[in-house]
Amino acid sequence: MKKSEALAILIGTQIGAGVLGLPYAASEVGLIPALAVLIGVMLLMLFTAYIVLDLSAKMNGAQMSTIAQRVLGKPGGWIMLISIAIMSFGALLAYISGIGGVLNGLFGINERLGAVLFWLFASLIVYTGIEMSGKSELAMSLAMLVLFLLVAILLLPKGDVHRAMYFNREGLWKIIGVSIFALGCHSIIPDVYKSLGNYKEMKRVVLLAFLIPTAVYALFMVSFLIVFGRETPQIATQALASLYGSFGNIIGNLIPFFAITTSYIGIALAQLSNLQEFLKLPRNVAFVLTVVPPLIVYLLGIGDFVSVLGVAGDTGDLMAFIVLPIVIYITTRLLPVGSGEAEAT
């Protein structure tokens, strides 16, 4: 795998539904505190991502649940597995549910049909494996970054920075939660590391994978807050249609299409590999367990379940990407990793 493809997978996994809600979450606290929270969360998430990379490299590309089991024992492994499963299931369900409206806005097709067609397309890419996914993610991530820049070019001239200069501490927890959700790519790091095969290059790739999305997120938040301020809509890109008509509608739907697709692929790939390695499942079984349950729940019409799983997803992200890696890091400082590895093997 090329470095550009490795970077695209990590960025694509991060930039999903979370970015669409960042401007709204930022509007509830004000621009300066929102940027401070975003940067603070990024630094914390980068630190824990390096923990995952370092230990995965020492364990020959082990997945996060395997790392947790080798360092913390079986309970730690199962807690990590369940945390990632909650996050993955909630995210995939939210993406399947949300994409129907996006495709309806772009092509006018039935929302449920659009969701099923998207599921077939994205799941097929996941099934082909990480090499094919890397090429697909690279193309879509480049398109997505161009669209983010286009949005900034369209909005910034219409803005007034004073609209964004306020502070409301009651919205702090929301912007923290959305920022964590928007910067999570840890679960795919072991897969990308194994495909890239070079630890030093992977460290640079991981650094860029956090710096680039954070810069994009910051520009995205600034663009919307200086134009709409406290009136920023929950799905920020919906506001583009009110300013630019059908052109704004197309741009406003293309961004979530690419964001949802790239994130779906990355999260599903990571969940597949995690299940396959930790539970020692055949790849086909792990694939089915990853992509079929969210589709079934969506087809059952459990719409309210999505909002519940949004909270569950944030909980899974917080546990899997921050709490457990820090516990693992502290444990490895007290107990050398080598002894845990030897014991596990």
Side-chain angles (χ1 to χ4, degrees):
M1 175 180 285
K2 297 178 181 177
K3 283 191 291 185
S4 58
E5 293 171 356
L7 180 60
I9 288 179
L10 294 178
I11 290 176
T13 302
Q14 283 189 9
I15 302 181
V19 66
L20 305 177
L22 266 177
Y24 174 72
S27 73
E28 297 208 338
V29 295
L31 183 58
I32 300 303
L35 289 173
V37 167
L38 178 67
I39 293 170
V41 169
M42 183 273 288
L43 292 172
L44 177 59
M45 297 285 274
L46 176 61
F47 171 66
T48 58
Y50 274 142
I51 294 172
V52 173
L53 172 60
D54 183 58
L55 291 173
S56 183
K58 288 178 179 176
M59 299 179 188
N60 299 315
Q63 298 292 322
M64 290 182 69
S65 296
T66 303
I67 293 171
Q69 178 172 273
R70 291 183 179 179
V71 177
L72 303 176
K74 285 186 178 180
W78 277 102
I79 293 172
M80 179 68 84
L81 181 75
I82 293 169
S83 299
I84 294 174
I86 290 172
M87 178 275 296
S88 301
F89 179 77
L92 297 182
L93 175 57
Y95 295 156
I96 294 169
S97 301
I99 200 68
V102 171
L103 294 177
N104 177 266
L106 284 172
F107 306 113
I109 63 176
N110 177 272
E111 287 193 15
R112 182 157 292 202
L113 174 61
V116 172
L117 290 175
F118 163 80
W119 177 83
L120 287 170
F121 164 72
S123 298
L124 179 62
I125 293 176
V126 171
Y127 187 76
T128 59
I130 196 165
E131 292 296 332
M132 180 62 188
S133 298
K135 292 176 172 57
S136 302
E137 293 260 15
L138 179 59
M140 287 187 284
S141 293
L142 288 173
M144 189 164 48
L145 292 175
V146 169
L147 288 170
F148 278 121
L149 290 175
L150 178 59
V151 167
I153 291 169
L154 291 173
L155 290 181
L156 287 175
K158 296 179 176 291
D160 179 356
V161 71
H162 294 97
R163 290 197 189 102
M165 293 297 112
Y166 55 89
F167 173 55
N168 177 19
R169 64 183 180 183
E170 292 178 4
L172 277 174
W173 179 244
K174 182 176 288 185
I175 185 66
I176 290 171
V178 175
S179 296
I180 291 172
F181 192 85
L183 285 163
C185 66
H186 299 50
S187 55
I188 196 66
I189 286 175
D191 284 306
V192 177
Y193 165 70
K194 283 190 288 187
S195 293
L196 190 61
N198 186 304
Y199 176 72
K200 288 185 178 180
E201 285 189 354
M202 186 63 186
K203 285 193 74 171
R204 289 191 285 269
V205 167
V206 169
L207 177 61
L208 290 174
F210 279 86
L211 293 179
I212 293 173
T214 301
V216 171
Y217 292 163
L219 182 62
F220 198 59
M221 290 194 306
V222 169
S223 301
F224 279 92
L225 257 67
I226 66 174
V227 174
F228 299 101
R230 297 176 189 268
E231 305 303 316
T232 301
Q234 288 194 27
I235 299 178
T237 51
Q238 290 178 343
L240 294 174
S242 66
L243 295 177
Y244 295 100
S246 57
F247 175 71
N249 179 64
I250 292 171
I251 300 300
N253 281 299
L254 279 177
I255 287 177
F257 172 77
F258 286 121
I260 287 173
T261 304
T262 55
S263 193
Y264 181 100
I265 292 168
I267 288 173
L269 269 172
Q271 173 68 346
L272 190 162
S273 297
N274 204 41
L275 290 174
Q276 186 179 4
E277 181 178 284
F278 189 80
L279 299 178
K280 296 180 172 53
L281 297 174
R283 191 174 188 278
N284 288 345
V285 174
F287 171 76
V288 169
L289 289 176
T290 297
V291 302
V292 171
L295 179 68
I296 291 174
V297 171
Y298 170 73
L299 293 176
L300 288 173
I302 309 178
D304 291 339
F305 201 40
V306 177
S307 58
V308 175
L309 285 174
V311 177
D314 284 346
T315 305
D317 274 63
L318 181 64
M319 181 63 69
F321 299 160
I322 295 180
V323 175
L324 282 173
I326 289 175
V327 171
I328 289 170
Y329 176 77
I330 293 171
T331 304
T332 58
R333 289 297 175 271
L334 300 174
L335 178 69
V337 175
S339 63
E341 260 191 294
E343 193 176 305
T345 56

